[in-house]
């Protein structure tokens, strides 16, 4: 458990110290294994274009629908990352 916490802390530190990205549209994900993952499409200024809840683990039909939804968001909003 301590190793996992140390790893997460180091990963978060690296992420927070990363140079901000500009002029890119992104798909932001917040993992949630029980209730699903929150996904948000953000424009170049960080404004929310669309949000949804997806399930990356669980029933096969839910996972398939979630992958389709993410793919649609990527295409619809022309997301870069």
């Amino acid at each position: 458990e301590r190793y996992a916490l140390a790893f997460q802390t180091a990963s978060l530190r690296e992420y927070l110290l990363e140079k901000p990205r500009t002029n890119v549209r992104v798909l932001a994900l917040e993992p949630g294994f029980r209730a699903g993952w929150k996904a948000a499409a953000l424009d170049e200024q960080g404004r929310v274009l669309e949000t949804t809840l997806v399930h990356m683990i669980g029933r096969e039909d839910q996972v398939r629908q979630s992958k389709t939804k993410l793919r649609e968001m990527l295409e619809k909003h022309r997301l870069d990352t």
Side-chain angles (χ1 to χ4, degrees):
E1 192 172 301
R2 286 182 187 217
Y3 174 76
L5 183 58
F7 180 77
Q8 283 184 328
T9 301
S11 295
L12 181 59
R13 179 176 170 72
E14 250 180 67
Y15 175 74
L16 291 174
L17 292 175
E18 187 175 297
K19 182 179 175 185
R21 296 173 190 242
T22 56
N23 299 320
V24 293
R25 291 177 168 233
V26 298
L27 177 65
L29 296 170
E30 179 184 349
F33 295 101
R34 288 186 205 157
W37 292 41
K38 295 173 189 167
L42 306 173
D43 72 5
E44 294 85 354
Q45 284 75 41
R47 291 183 294 243
V48 178
L49 302 170
E50 181 180 353
T51 62
T52 192
L53 184 68
V54 295
H55 299 277
M56 303 312 291
I57 58 173
R59 293 193 338 249
E60 190 176 321
D61 62 321
Q62 278 186 321
V63 173
R64 188 172 40 254
Q65 288 174 353
S66 294
K67 288 179 181 180
T68 299
K69 180 61 179 170
L70 290 175
R71 200 170 10 260
E72 289 171 355
M73 286 177 72
L74 287 167
E75 293 171 1
K76 177 181 177 183
H77 300 293
R78 299 182 315 276
L79 302 175
D80 301 306
T81 58

